[in-house]
Amino acid sequence: MRIGLSFANLGPLASAEGAAALGEACDAHGIESLWTVEHPVVPANYDSEYPYDPSGKMPIPAEWPFPDPLVWLTWVAAHTKKVRLGTGVLILPLRNPVVLAKEIATLDAMSGGRVELGIGVGWLEEEFAALGVPFERRGERTDEYIEVLRALWSPGPTSAAGPIVRFDDMVSSPDPVQSSVPIVVGGHSHAAARRAGRLGDGFFPGRQDDLAELVSTMRKTAREAGRDPDDIELTFAGSKSAEKRRQLEDLGASRLVYGTPMVAPDEMNAAIERLLDAVT
């Protein structure tokens, strides 16, 4: 079972020193992947409900640094050789997909093919308003943007004729080292499960409840779309319970992701050793 670490670009690990120490420790101890989170801006007060905590609010101290995930991952890539570089998740409808295709392909090329693009539709309506992006119909835009990314990562000139993105005979280079960067659909909803079944290379639900139902939805949708559901990789939040880990494996997990130890850079190696002792 591959082990990843989530919320990697926050707090003490947001700094250049912290990012490098975390990446180097992951390489040294066999952590397969790092997963970053994204919010370009966060309002001091918001009414939108955060879906991954019972409080409805993000459990992140307001004073913690929150760097851009792609810039942070580029720094990590420069200090590592093996760990995969994941966004868990990038808020896709907030991004220009043509620019994003270039950014992701560049990071993949410069890292030797180590990018995992985890995407979500977003939940913080106030953030969309601050960026001047419509909150409505963001799911439809996400689907279209996924297709645009894959088209621009393919060799040679490509075109797009969607409701939002339209261009003819465009070339975006460099190409990713991977034939196409894996797109991992994040989100703990049946809509996300259906999106993963139709369009994803992977599915990453955000919590541990209702996983069997969500996986069933993903697999059913994949079959209806003429896809093999076994080709869609499952990433789940990990557990320190051996019984729970067996249950996650039985559901088809390929990767378990645990919270990154929020410790000082010089304490990171020991913290990762303790985590691995508890979960392997």
Side-chain angles (χ1 to χ4, degrees), residues 49-278:
E49 184 175 348
Y50 179 66
Y52 303 110
D53 191 89
S55 70
K57 304 295 181 183
M58 290 185 288
I60 298 171
E63 66 273 12
W64 272 22
F66 207 139
D68 178 87
L70 300 183
V71 175
W72 188 91
L73 286 170
T74 301
W75 183 262
V76 172
H79 288 81
T80 57
K81 297 294 185 184
K82 296 180 288 187
V83 68
R84 293 192 65 78
L85 311 166
T87 58
V89 296
L90 201 76
I91 307 169
L92 186 53
L94 288 180
R95 297 272 181 157
N96 180 305
V98 177
V99 176
L100 181 62
K102 168 80 77 171
E103 293 171 331
I104 294 295
T106 301
L107 178 55
D108 195 67
M110 297 186 74
S111 67
R114 290 191 278 148
V115 177
E116 299 272 343
L117 180 60
I119 60 94
V121 301
W123 59 272
L124 185 54
E125 186 170 359
E126 294 88 344
E127 181 179 32
F128 278 72
L131 273 71
V133 176
F135 191 67
E136 298 76 16
R137 304 175 75 88
R138 64 195 187 281
E140 294 177 23
R141 294 199 307 280
T142 296
D143 291 353
E144 181 179 347
Y145 289 4
I146 289 172
E147 300 287 6
V148 170
L149 291 171
R150 289 209 175 106
L152 289 168
W153 291 334
S154 62
T158 190
S159 302
I164 300 172
V165 184
R166 294 173 175 268
F167 54 78
D168 292 312
D169 296 328
M170 295 293 175
V171 176
S172 180
S173 63
D175 292 331
V177 169
Q178 304 174 90
S179 58
S180 184
V181 175
I183 294 179
V184 181
V185 176
H188 204 85
S189 67
H190 287 277
R194 289 191 292 270
R195 179 168 293 109
R198 293 193 313 272
L199 299 170
D201 300 298
F203 180 36
F204 189 171
R207 304 191 304 265
Q208 289 191 342
D209 57 297
D210 302 323
L211 283 177
E213 291 183 19
L214 293 174
V215 170
S216 177
T217 295
M218 180 276 288
R219 295 181 65 86
K220 178 176 182 291
T221 306
R223 287 191 293 268
E224 291 171 349
R227 306 180 69 204
D228 184 348
D230 291 336
D231 291 339
I232 302 169
E233 185 175 72
L234 293 174
T235 298
F236 296 142
S239 173
K240 292 186 177 180
S241 161
E243 180 181 358
K244 181 64 175 179
R245 290 198 301 274
R246 285 192 294 271
Q247 293 173 357
L248 296 174
E249 290 181 23
D250 289 344
L251 281 173
S254 297
R255 177 190 294 117
L256 297 181
V257 176
Y258 295 84
T260 301
M262 294 296 163
V263 299
D266 62 356
E267 299 173 353
M268 184 55 66
N269 278 292
I272 287 181
E273 289 174 4
R274 289 193 296 271
L275 173 64
L276 290 174
D277 285 345

